[in-house]
Amino acid sequence: MNFLFVDNACYKSYTYHTLRTEALGGSEASLLRVAKVLALRGHDVSVLQHTDAHRRAGLVEGIRHVAFESEFPSPDVVVHCRTGLFIDGWRDGFPNARHVMWTQDFFTAESTEGLNNEEIICLSSAHKTQIEKVLAANNVQPKAIHTIANPVEVDGMRYPIERT
């Protein structure tokens, strides 16, 4: 499968090299870890960050980092990280892809903008409950809400991803 992770909310450009050499936010670190596992399992994985408008496409740890103008395989799954604001445009561009919003943050009314019957991935049952309340208060009906805990690495030891 071809995966495209779209991070429209990152505060700086990052690759797996960044994760090894400097401080990186939890959302970015989790995206890289999940992308790397998918790539190791034979999937084609691209990451597009809004901070990389002029990046040359490059492969780092099996993950293709691309710019808006870059050519990348047509995705089967587009994972929208942290914001739904641009999902409509991506849905128009890739109408046959599965579009999923992966959020690491608690929702506000603004978080619901752009969502229209999306699948949402969140981090915990408490996170899911909070998101459900905000969606209901803003009359937004998700297709489904999944809970997948962030992958954690401590002293080189990896802990499994938990799903509910």
Side-chain angles (χ1 to χ4, degrees), residues 2-149:
N2 294 331
F3 288 86
L4 173 62
F5 288 82
V6 179
D7 189 348
N8 283 310
C10 58
Y11 60 97
K12 67 178 183 179
S13 298
Y14 58 91
T15 67
Y16 215 87
H17 178 74
T18 313
L19 183 60
R20 290 186 177 140
T21 59
E22 57 188 90
L24 194 60
S27 298
E28 294 84 0
S30 291
L31 183 153
L32 290 171
R33 288 183 178 117
V34 169
K36 183 174 180 181
V37 168
L38 289 169
L40 288 171
R41 292 186 178 170
H43 299 286
D44 194 310
V45 181
S46 299
V47 174
L48 188 148
Q49 304 159 21
H50 78 94
T51 52
D52 286 346
H54 305 292
R55 178 193 288 262
R56 293 176 118 177
L59 206 60
V60 180
E61 298 277 337
I63 303 165
R64 180 182 293 111
H65 291 269
V66 298
F68 289 100
E69 303 86 21
S70 296
E71 294 208 13
F72 47 85
S74 183
D76 299 305
V77 180
V78 180
V79 180
H80 303 272
C81 300
R82 298 183 279 201
T83 180
L85 288 176
F86 305 103
I87 288 177
D88 282 341
W90 287 99
R91 193 182 294 112
D92 290 346
F94 300 106
N96 297 321
R98 177 180 175 190
H99 292 264
V100 178
M101 182 183 178
W102 180 17
T103 182
Q104 307 265 323
D105 306 310
F106 284 111
F107 265 26
T108 63
E110 188 177 86
S111 304
T112 66
E113 290 180 36
L115 295 181
N116 180 21
N117 197 32
E118 254 64 60
E119 289 181 75
I120 299 171
I121 300 171
C122 60
L123 301 176
S124 67
S125 57
H127 193 206
K128 181 179 179 180
T129 299
Q130 190 275 338
I131 288 171
E132 288 171 333
K133 287 179 182 176
V134 173
L135 291 172
N138 290 279
N139 298 314
V140 176
Q141 182 65 40
K143 181 175 186 177
I145 301 177
H146 309 283
T147 302
I148 304 174

